[in-house]
Every structure is written in C-alpha cells, then in structure tokens.
Amino acid sequence: MESYDAAALFTALGQTTRLDLIRALLAAGPSGMPAGDIADQLGVASSTLSFHLRALEQAELVIVRRYGRSLVYAAHMARLRDLLAYLAETCCGFDRGRNAELGGFLASLTSETKAMQADPFNVLFLCTRNSARSIMAEAILSKIGGTRFRAYSAGSDPAEEGPLPEVLAQLKALGHDVSGLRSKSWDEFIQPKAPQIDFVIALCDTVAGQVCPDFGVSVITGAWPLPDPSKFTGSAIERATLINEIYAGLRRRLEIFINLPLNALNRMSLKARLDELADPHVLAQGLAAAQGSAATR
C-alpha cells in the first residue's frame, strides 16, 4: 500500500461515527449486519448512517452484500489488513516471519475475506418484445461477466414466438449458449421468489418511456436505446448487418460496464456512468480505458 492510499483510508475513517461503525462491523465478523441493526446499535438516524456507509464503501472499507431483498454490510477485511500491514511495516519493522502473532492476525483477516465474497450483481435488460436486443445483452453478459454478474432479460410485451431465429443463430455462431434464452414478461421479476435486481438497463425508447414495475429501492437504472431488428424491413443481408452492429455495440458497452468499480461508486455516479454508455463518443473513450485497465490486471 502506498502512503497516499493509506492517507485516503485514514481520511475516510477520521470521524467518530465511522470509527464506531467499523468497530461494530468488525465485531459482527464475516456475516456482517443489516443497516437497521447498525443504526440501532450506534443510535444514529438512518439518513446519517447511509451517509457514513456510503463514504466507507467508496473507500472500499465496507462490503455490501444481499440476502434476499435485504442489504447487509460487512467490514472489508482485506482492505483493513493492508492498512494494518502498512502501519506495522513503517513503524516497527514488521516482518511476517519474525512476528508470528501479528502475522497470524493479518492472515486471519485474509481467511475471513475469502469467506465473505459478495454476491454477484443481477442485471436485467429490458426491451418491448424481449426477442432481440435484450436477448443479445443477456447472452453477452452471461459469457463475459464471469462469477461477478448474473444476466437476465424481459419485456413489457414479450414475443409469443420467442427470440428472433436470426438472433439466436448469430449468438450460437459466436459461441454463446442459447439453450436457456426465451422471451418473457418483466412481471416475472417482481414475484416474491424473483432474484433481487441490482441494475435495470432499457434498450429501447418505448420501454424507457413506460412505467416499469417496482424492482426494489436499491435498483440502479440506465437506458441504451438501440434500433429494433424485429421492425427492420430491409433485405436479409441488411438485417444481418444491423444485428451484427447491435451485437457489437452491446458487447462494447458491457465490456466497459463489467470493468467499472461498482463497489466504489455511489448510486448517482453509477447511474451517470450507465447513461454515459449510450453516447457513442463516451463509449469509444470508455472502451479504450477498459481495455487498458484489463491489460494491467
């Protein structure tokens, strides 16, 4: 850890409520605590607690996880371990091999971090018929999102005949698993046993202008309007070209999206970043940045 990183963490912790908050989360261990329990324990208003939790989350000192429809907060053990190691190295010549007691403590923080991996982000793509654009987005994110994301798609008026055959053919040709892709209503995602959605991304102007169902207070929305292949009346070659262009545009956007620091950005920042990806100029800049970030990992 560099000095400026440590200074940023101390700045984030430099307030009594935040110190009490971190101490409470450390006492709770890997299981963490719901926001309501934290507020009760510390005796602070929910709005005040949200402000401090957001600051600690931006500093990556707090991890947010989901249990059903509840948000649970836990201390980011790896981040705190690195901060303690930085202090030990600079103030007392710490050596993990010579100081077994402190080394064992830091190792325990590492093991607790592994035990509290955050749940994947659930992303729902919407378009009217759920037959082309949203189907492609679901397939792409399912393939490139790894274990950090789960992709879903739905529509306000899903096509009874299912996804467009040429869309499925193209996805299959590009190596995507199409066996589970189907056109479905967005009503499926407001049922009691539905997955808790983190991001809702509308891919057409029609859906963006409608009143969407209530997917929960924590959902973050974005709009990436794209042309509807089902309404295009050109030749077969022209239709294939359009589908290829839509696929490429979605892939570029999603490659940027999965590289965003989702745990370090607040809701307003995430909303702004999602909407920026609708702009082709911002998209080109973001893709270059995402590729550079991926190359350094």
Side-chain angles (χ1 to χ4, degrees), residues 134-202:
S134 53
I135 290 290
M136 284 191 278
E138 178 184 355
I140 294 168
L141 185 58
S142 294
K143 184 174 183 178
I144 70 175
T147 59
R148 293 182 60 226
F149 299 90
R150 289 197 188 102
Y152 305 92
S153 69
S156 57
D157 182 24
E160 293 184 2
E161 62 275 18
L164 294 180
E166 56 262 57
V167 167
L168 294 179
Q170 189 221 34
L171 289 172
K172 190 172 183 179
L174 292 172
H176 294 279
D177 180 7
V178 301
S179 60
L181 297 176
R182 62 186 179 89
S183 300
K184 52 200 168 296
S185 171
W186 59 19
D187 290 339
E188 289 191 16
F189 294 91
I190 58 174
Q191 303 304 315
K193 294 185 179 181
Q196 174 64 45
I197 300 299
D198 299 295
F199 296 91
V200 172
I201 302 175

Side-chain angles (χ1 to χ4, degrees), residues 44-55:
V44 298
S46 58
S47 58
T48 301
L49 179 66
S50 296
F51 171 76
H52 292 303
L53 280 171
R54 185 163 56 249

Side-chain angles (χ1 to χ4, degrees), residues 3-286:
S3 296
Y4 60 83
D5 290 324
L9 297 187
F10 283 121
T11 298
L13 288 168
Q15 201 274 344
T16 55
T17 300
R18 294 179 193 174
L19 286 174
D20 291 341
L21 202 165
I22 284 292
R23 285 166 59 86
L25 293 180
L26 284 170
S31 58
M33 298 175 67
D37 291 352
I38 302 172
D40 291 341
Q41 180 173 324
L42 299 184
V44 298
S46 58
S47 58
T48 301
L49 179 66
S50 296
F51 171 76
H52 292 303
L53 280 171
R54 185 163 56 249
L56 293 174
E57 186 182 354
Q58 288 176 331
E60 297 184 32
L61 289 167
V62 166
I63 292 176
V64 185
R65 294 173 296 157
R66 292 181 310 279
Y67 286 104
R69 295 187 177 274
S70 299
L71 295 178
V72 175
Y73 296 84
H76 195 316
M77 300 298 189
R79 192 76 159 156
L80 290 167
R81 177 207 63 206
D82 292 343
L83 182 59
L84 290 174
Y86 169 82
L87 288 176
E89 290 168 354
T90 56
C91 72
C92 49
F94 168 66
D95 185 302
R96 289 177 187 268
R98 294 199 303 267
N99 193 329
E101 184 176 349
L102 184 54
F105 172 68
L106 296 178
S108 71
L109 291 182
T110 301
S111 63
E112 288 190 7
T113 300
K114 292 179 180 178
M116 53 179 286
Q117 294 295 324
D119 292 338
F121 292 102
N122 292 326
V123 184
L124 175 62
F125 299 98
L126 300 179
C127 64
T128 304
R129 302 287 283 167
N130 188 210
S131 63
R133 293 158 293 184
S134 53
I135 290 290
M136 284 191 278
E138 178 184 355
I140 294 168
L141 185 58
S142 294
K143 184 174 183 178
I144 70 175
T147 59
R148 293 182 60 226
F149 299 90
R150 289 197 188 102
Y152 305 92
S153 69
S156 57
D157 182 24
E160 293 184 2
E161 62 275 18
L164 294 180
E166 56 262 57
V167 167
L168 294 179
Q170 189 221 34
L171 289 172
K172 190 172 183 179
L174 292 172
H176 294 279
D177 180 7
V178 301
S179 60
L181 297 176
R182 62 186 179 89
S183 300
K184 52 200 168 296
S185 171
W186 59 19
D187 290 339
E188 289 191 16
F189 294 91
I190 58 174
Q191 303 304 315
K193 294 185 179 181
Q196 174 64 45
I197 300 299
D198 299 295
F199 296 91
V200 172
I201 302 175
L203 301 177
C204 59
D205 289 323
T206 303
V207 168
Q210 293 179 6
V211 178
C212 292
D214 180 8
F215 295 109
V217 297
S218 62
V219 70
I220 297 170
T221 62
W224 301 343
L226 294 169
D228 185 355
S230 66
K231 296 181 178 179
F232 186 68
T233 58
S235 66
I237 294 178
E238 290 172 332
R239 285 175 60 84
T241 299
L242 176 63
I243 291 173
N244 286 335
E245 290 176 350
I246 293 173
Y247 176 92
L250 283 169
R251 177 116 190 184
R252 287 194 295 269
R253 287 174 171 85
L254 290 171
E255 286 173 348
I256 297 170
F257 172 69
I258 65 174
N259 284 287
L260 291 175
L262 300 181
N263 288 323
L265 296 175
N266 60 34
R267 289 174 55 81
M268 290 184 64
S269 297
L270 283 171
K271 166 69 174 171
R273 297 295 291 273
L274 281 183
D275 288 340
E276 284 175 357
L277 290 178
D279 185 331
H281 297 94
V282 174
L283 178 62
Q285 296 171 357

